[in-house]
Amino acid sequence: MKLKLETATKSANAVITKLKNNNKDAVIAICDAQGELILLMKTDNAPYSSIQIAINKAYTAARTRVDSIEIGNKIRNKERGLDIQYWGDSKITGFGGGLVINYQSDILGGIGLSGLIETEDMEYATIGLNTILNDL
């Protein structure tokens, strides 16, 4: 199964609607299973710096097959932590807000959200993820 633009668009629109309803601004990125960008949306007042971060979060989730916060947790672990350079890919990030799109054990891609505090990035990314999963 492949993630389609139509499904990614529904997901991003659901997130954008929720952000607007809560007077929040952010960037949402959705990529395919290889980490290649399918869709990018930015609310009017989201910081421009969040564009690349959202893309990297989605990429990280798709390429590593785990949510980006898990990479961050491994990096921050003092006893067993890994240096970010361990991953050998400058696009890998450990910030929360990148979620794996996993449907029936198939990795379809990643969704990344940036522009808010980390917990809110994860919350709004989850709205997008659930929209995708409900559409499949």
Side-chain angles (χ1 to χ4, degrees):
M1 177 175 280
K2 189 175 176 181
L3 184 60
K4 296 182 180 180
L5 176 61
E6 180 181 350
T7 300
T9 302
K10 285 181 188 176
S11 170
N13 284 333
V15 173
I16 296 292
T17 297
K18 189 72 167 177
L19 286 165
K20 286 182 180 180
N21 289 343
N22 293 327
N23 294 314
K24 305 268 185 182
D25 287 290
V27 176
I28 182 167
I30 301 174
C31 65
D32 66 16
Q34 287 72 44
E36 298 301 328
L37 193 61
I38 295 173
L39 179 138
L40 178 73
M41 284 189 176
K42 176 189 169 297
T43 60
D44 294 335
N45 296 312
Y48 286 100
S49 59
S50 295
I51 294 171
Q52 191 61 54
I53 296 169
I55 293 168
N56 289 355
K57 287 178 181 184
Y59 174 88
T60 297
R63 295 294 288 230
T64 66
R65 309 304 202 232
V66 297
D67 296 343
S68 61
I69 191 72
E70 290 186 39
I71 302 298
N73 290 339
K74 287 179 182 178
I75 293 165
R76 291 184 279 271
N77 184 308
K78 291 183 181 180
E79 290 82 39
R80 295 175 295 154
L82 299 171
D83 186 305
I84 192 71
Q85 296 302 320
Y86 171 83
W87 300 99
D89 186 336
S90 63
K91 290 166 60 173
I92 299 291
T93 185
F95 296 124
L99 304 177
V100 178
I101 303 168
N102 186 344
Y103 181 72
Q104 297 180 345
S105 300
D106 286 334
I107 303 298
L108 303 183
I111 184 168
L113 193 119
S114 182
L116 306 169
I117 62 171
E118 188 174 48
T119 55
E120 289 180 311
D121 283 351
M122 292 187 292
E123 175 187 338
Y124 284 94
T126 300
I127 292 167
L129 175 63
N130 289 339
T131 301
I132 289 170
L133 296 177
N134 289 333
D135 194 59
L136 297 174

